[in-house]
Amino acid sequence: MGNADNDGYPPMESVADRRNHGVAIPPPQPFFKSLRNSLKETFFPDDPLRQFKGQPRLRRLVLGLQYVLPILEWGPRYTLEFLRADLVAGITIASLAIPQGISYAKLANLPPILGLYSSFVPPLVYAMMGSSRDLAVGTVAVASLLTASMLGKEVKASENPTLYLHLAFTATFVAGVLQACLGLLRLGFLVDFLSHATIVGFMAGAATVVCLQQLKGILGLARFTHETDVISVLRSVFSQTHEWRWESGVLGCCFLFFLLLTRYLSKRRPKFFWISAMAPLTTVILGSLLVYLTHAEKHGVPVIGPLKKGLNPPSGTDLAFGSPYLTTAIKTGIVTGVIALAEGIAVGRSFAMFKNYHIDGNKEMIAFGMMNIAGSCTSCYLTTGPFSRSAVNFNAGCKTAVSNIVMAIAVMFTLMFLTPLFHYTPLVVLSSIIIAAMLGLIDYEAAIHLWAVDKFDFVVCITAYVGVVFGSVEIGLVLAVAVSLLRVLLFVARPKTFVLGRIPNCNAYRNIEQYPIAKNVPGILILEIDAPIYFANAGYLRERISRWIDEEEDRLKDSGEDNLQYVILDMGAVGGIDTSGISMLEEIKKAVERRDLKLVLANPGSDVMKKLSKSKFVENLGQEWFFLTVEQAVGACNFMLHKCKVDTKKDESDEKWNNV
């Protein structure tokens, strides 16, 4: 092979030369200290208790209260300038929250007044406990659809409205308890299993289903299917063509066109954001006036009817813990709670990124949980941070969560004095508002981006969409999560392995497929393992490494190059290893030695080295075959190859001399 210096490879060094700076075996740690460190990294990666260190007892108490109630932290710094901005933002989102709240309550098959109740108490709780400055709290279409779909399978709202209402409160309570527990137990990472692709597909599917269901209101149909799949909905629509009301259809199309036009104008000119924000309330006012003046309710245009005046009545005693349908309420609460949590945290983080501040995901979970627990006891159903309302809040220039308080006060004023004005609001207006809001959730640009960047993520997205549209909301969610988990398992069970080559004129070793200029090192095969080695992937890695060796030997034989002598495994990306992984390395060592090759390990991590030492693998392989870097390993292997070649030539020379 020649001298390594002459070949342009790293300078040769003997094994003895590098023992002083070889791979260290970490000192042993007590079991409980190691367990504590592992738990801390799992549940407290942000180290929330750091701020309490070295503080006097009174200061710790203040910091603890500020952690639970962030309003105590930023409240003393609140200024009149902030109040002006929050007043404008709060009034603006209230104009959107009132018609949307009524609309989404109807979507959930609940009394319309509950939509207003849910925009009063929960925002007040979140303003005290939430860490986002931009999130606007309220009901959302997807959670409303889930509530109607899951509860409606067991109890029909039209047949037993009281039981249905109590189950909705119970589901909200369960969702709140789940959300708060996830935050308190620092289990927020579980929500991350709902990937971005899953949420994009699920939201688009749910939005499609919601839009199709609003055909009932647009066409003025009295009877409609309780199923959510597209086939059932379209069958219900077109089997009742004789009952379509043209008056309702014309009104619905006009109002929908107006809402979409205002949104288009606001997107083209962001400074006119208030146009689209005020549009829903404008349609409600115009629709109500039109019905009142023309008596359209007597000509087939259904209206909301009388709304109860006054603030939220208590509903703690209405929680149906003794109901035979409690299991359904618990299941509904878990599903809606997780979906609402994922949406709310994603929206909050998005706007926090724009304004360059941080929100604590676990603290947000606690805030969401407490506001839903409080809401379930005050005649509210599930709330979170909807994107449309939060976007309006952001564009309106909100400074703090006081905008939620302003919105809640505006809703309170509406509940106390203005609810009779909604008597003549036509249902077709609510359907138009819902459709306009839902069309914004069908993010086809995100789907196109997924296709361009990651085809598997696109498959996850489409799976969620198809599952929701052609099956049900629950089926779509389960399918999407299942495909996402399958991908996680594939990442773990089928990790990437690469052949590394040396970049010319430097000592870097990189993937030869990514860097075609990288050159193989003669007589040495360098492989990088790009994942932890566990029982799930040990068998695959054993077979894949063997195949890499077979392919390299075939390549050398075909090209007439020198035989393979060393196999170097770059362990830099191997963050952990279990007993199955250690057994795999032992099998690889034996298989390599049967081929008269030598196994070399480069850059093993602390945890890996500790376990290899305890299992006697280091002793069996020889600590001299563990190296800090690939460069160092290649240098040592080149030295051995050069030494072997010199010894071989010397032996041949001695043999010739003896023959003479």
Side-chain angles (χ1 to χ4, degrees):
M1 263 170 228
N3 192 307
D5 292 328
N6 296 334
D7 294 338
Y9 293 106
M12 297 177 297
E13 58 175 341
S14 68
V15 174
D17 291 335
R18 54 159 290 277
R19 282 178 181 166
N20 292 331
H21 52 275
V23 178
I25 299 173
Q29 285 188 345
F31 170 75
F32 288 104
K33 182 179 179 181
S34 177
L35 178 63
R36 185 186 67 183
N37 291 338
S38 298
L39 292 175
K40 181 180 178 181
E41 289 302 316
T42 302
F43 298 106
F44 301 95
D46 55 341
D47 194 11
L49 301 180
R50 182 180 63 254
Q51 58 181 331
F52 296 93
K53 294 177 182 177
Q55 299 291 342
R57 183 174 299 177
L58 181 60
R59 179 59 181 165
R60 288 183 182 180
L61 177 62
V62 172
L63 289 173
L65 289 174
Q66 289 178 345
Y67 183 84
V68 177
L69 299 171
I71 194 173
L72 298 178
E73 179 185 358
W74 54 262
R77 304 193 304 270
Y78 198 74
T79 64
L80 186 61
E81 181 183 353
F82 284 5
L83 179 60
R84 291 195 197 100
D86 287 336
L87 272 173
V88 173
I91 294 172
T92 305
I93 58 175
S95 67
L96 180 64
I98 292 169
Q100 275 192 352
I102 295 172
S103 304
Y104 293 159
K106 290 290 291 181
L107 179 61
N109 292 330
L110 292 167
I113 194 68
L114 259 67
L116 297 181
Y117 290 161
S118 301
S119 297
F120 173 46
V121 173
L124 294 175
V125 177
Y126 182 82
M128 292 186 291
M129 302 188 68
S131 58
S132 173
R133 305 170 195 166
D134 303 282
L135 208 66
V137 171
T139 55
V140 289
V142 174
S144 301
L145 175 66
L146 281 167
T147 300
S149 172
M150 299 182 73
L151 292 182
K153 287 183 178 179
E154 300 294 335
V155 179
K156 298 293 185 289
S158 56
E159 297 173 2
N160 198 338
T162 302
L163 177 59
Y164 183 89
L165 181 63
H166 292 176
L167 290 176
F169 292 153
T170 308
T172 303
F173 180 83
V174 171
V177 171
L178 172 69
Q179 293 168 339
C181 288
L182 287 175
L184 289 170
L185 299 176
R186 315 289 293 181
L187 296 175
F189 62 88
L190 294 177
V191 179
D192 293 335
F193 280 101
L194 290 175
S195 65
H196 172 67
T198 301
I199 293 175
V200 168
F202 178 79
M203 290 296 184
T208 302
V209 169
V210 171
C211 289
L212 290 173
Q213 287 197 330
Q214 297 316 300
L215 292 175
K216 174 187 177 182
I218 295 291
L219 299 174
L221 299 176
R223 295 178 294 104
F224 206 70
T225 180
H226 294 287
E227 301 296 328
T228 58
D229 63 283
V230 63
I231 304 298
S232 299
V233 172
L234 292 179
R235 184 186 297 121
S236 180
V237 169
F238 289 101
S239 64
Q240 304 182 72
T241 53
H242 58 285
E243 295 185 16
W244 291 5
R245 308 294 302 188
W246 69 267
E247 302 94 337
S248 181
V250 170
L251 277 177
C253 291
C254 291
F255 286 129
L256 181 59
F257 175 77
F258 172 72
L259 291 168
L260 295 178
L261 179 62
T262 57
R263 175 187 293 175
Y264 174 77
L265 292 175
S266 296
K267 281 187 175 181
R268 291 293 300 270
R269 299 291 181 87
K271 65 180 180 179
F272 294 129
F273 69 90
W274 54 270
I275 295 178
S276 63
M278 298 293 292
L281 186 60
T282 304
T283 59
V284 168
I285 295 172
L286 292 176
S288 300
L289 284 174
L290 186 63
V291 169
Y292 178 76
L293 295 174
T294 62
H295 302 287
E297 77 278 10
K298 299 178 181 178
H299 300 282
V301 178
V303 296
I304 290 178
L307 291 181
K308 185 179 178 182
K309 218 171 158 183
L311 299 181
N312 305 34
S315 58
T317 57
D318 295 333
L319 300 179
F321 293 122
S323 170
Y325 301 104
L326 178 61
T327 304
T328 302
I330 292 175
K331 184 172 72 170
T332 304
I334 292 173
V335 173
T336 56
V338 170
I339 292 294
L341 205 56
E343 181 180 0
I345 292 178
V347 171
R349 284 175 175 167
S350 298
F351 290 111
M353 180 180 66
F354 287 131
K355 288 190 176 179
N356 197 27
Y357 68 93
H358 173 72
I359 65 170
D360 186 334
N362 289 292
K363 195 184 296 186
E364 287 293 281
M365 292 180 187
I366 297 173
F368 286 159
M370 295 308 298
M371 77 181 186
N372 279 313
I373 291 173
S376 67
C377 298
T378 53
S379 300
C380 305
Y381 77 105
L382 190 73
T383 53
T384 184
F387 179 79
S388 58
R389 204 174 301 181
S390 300
V392 170
N393 196 30
F394 176 83
N395 290 327
C398 69
K399 298 297 183 183
T400 67
V402 169
S403 60
N404 278 290
I405 298 176
V406 174
M407 177 187 70
I409 293 172
V411 172
M412 178 188 72
F413 182 81
T414 302
L415 285 168
M416 294 179 66
F417 305 107
L418 304 180
T419 50
L421 300 179
F422 294 99
H423 181 283
Y424 290 99
T425 301
L427 296 183
V428 66
V429 168
L430 303 185
S431 296
S432 301
I433 292 172
I434 292 174
I435 292 175
M438 290 302 96
L439 290 176
L441 292 180
I442 303 177
D443 194 352
Y444 64 90
E445 292 180 351
I448 294 172
H449 178 72
L450 291 174
W451 171 260
V453 175
D454 192 324
K455 301 297 189 292
F456 200 102
D457 266 354
F458 179 78
V459 171
V460 172
C461 176
I462 293 300
T463 300
Y465 181 83
V466 171
V468 172
V469 171
F470 291 96
S472 66
V473 176
E474 304 95 294
I475 291 175
L477 184 61
V478 169
L479 282 176
V481 173
V483 175
S484 297
L485 289 177
L486 175 63
R487 183 171 199 185
V488 173
L489 292 175
L490 287 175
F491 274 132
V492 174
R494 294 293 183 268
K496 300 290 186 181
T497 56
F498 310 104
V499 175
L500 302 184
R502 181 176 177 272
I503 304 293
N505 303 319
C506 71
N507 293 325
Y509 292 83
R510 295 293 183 268
N511 180 4
I512 60 175
E513 292 184 0
Q514 183 180 1
Y515 297 91
I517 61 172
K519 304 297 182 183
N520 294 90
V521 182
I524 303 173
L525 174 63
I526 311 170
L527 298 175
E528 178 184 354
I529 301 174
D530 196 26
I533 305 175
Y534 295 124
F535 66 93
N537 60 25
Y540 168 78
L541 286 173
R542 180 180 59 249
E543 301 298 331
R544 191 66 186 92
I545 292 172
S546 298
R547 184 152 65 93
W548 278 123
I549 297 173
D550 291 337
E551 292 173 355
E552 180 67 9
E553 289 185 330
D554 292 342
R555 186 187 69 82
L556 293 175
K557 185 183 297 183
D558 293 340
S559 62
E561 298 180 35
D562 292 335
N563 292 334
L564 186 63
Q565 299 292 327
Y566 294 95
V567 177
I568 300 175
L569 297 184
D570 182 3
M571 307 283 283
V574 180
I577 192 170
D578 66 358
T579 53
S580 298
I582 296 172
S583 298
M584 184 274 293
L585 289 179
E586 292 172 346
E587 293 176 22
I588 289 292
K589 173 182 174 294
K590 293 176 182 178
V592 166
E593 289 175 349
R594 283 197 296 268
R595 298 170 182 250
D596 292 328
L597 307 177
K598 187 64 184 178
L599 181 65
V600 182
L601 299 187
N603 194 23
S606 171
D607 185 59
V608 173
M609 200 63 188
K610 180 173 62 178
K611 291 184 179 179
L612 293 180
S613 175
K614 288 182 178 180
S615 66
K616 305 297 183 182
F617 181 81
V618 174
E619 182 181 329
N620 293 335
L621 181 64
Q623 189 163 359
E624 66 272 16
W625 297 108
F626 288 80
F627 296 85
L628 286 173
T629 64
V630 172
E631 176 192 355
Q632 204 177 69
V634 171
C637 292
N638 273 327
F639 174 83
M640 298 302 294
L641 288 171
H642 176 74
K643 182 180 178 183
C644 289
K645 181 169 284 192
V646 170
D647 290 344
T648 301
K649 288 182 178 179
K650 183 179 179 183
D651 291 341
E652 290 176 353
S653 177
D654 290 344
E655 185 177 350
K656 287 181 180 179
W657 180 258
N658 292 333
N659 291 335
V660 172

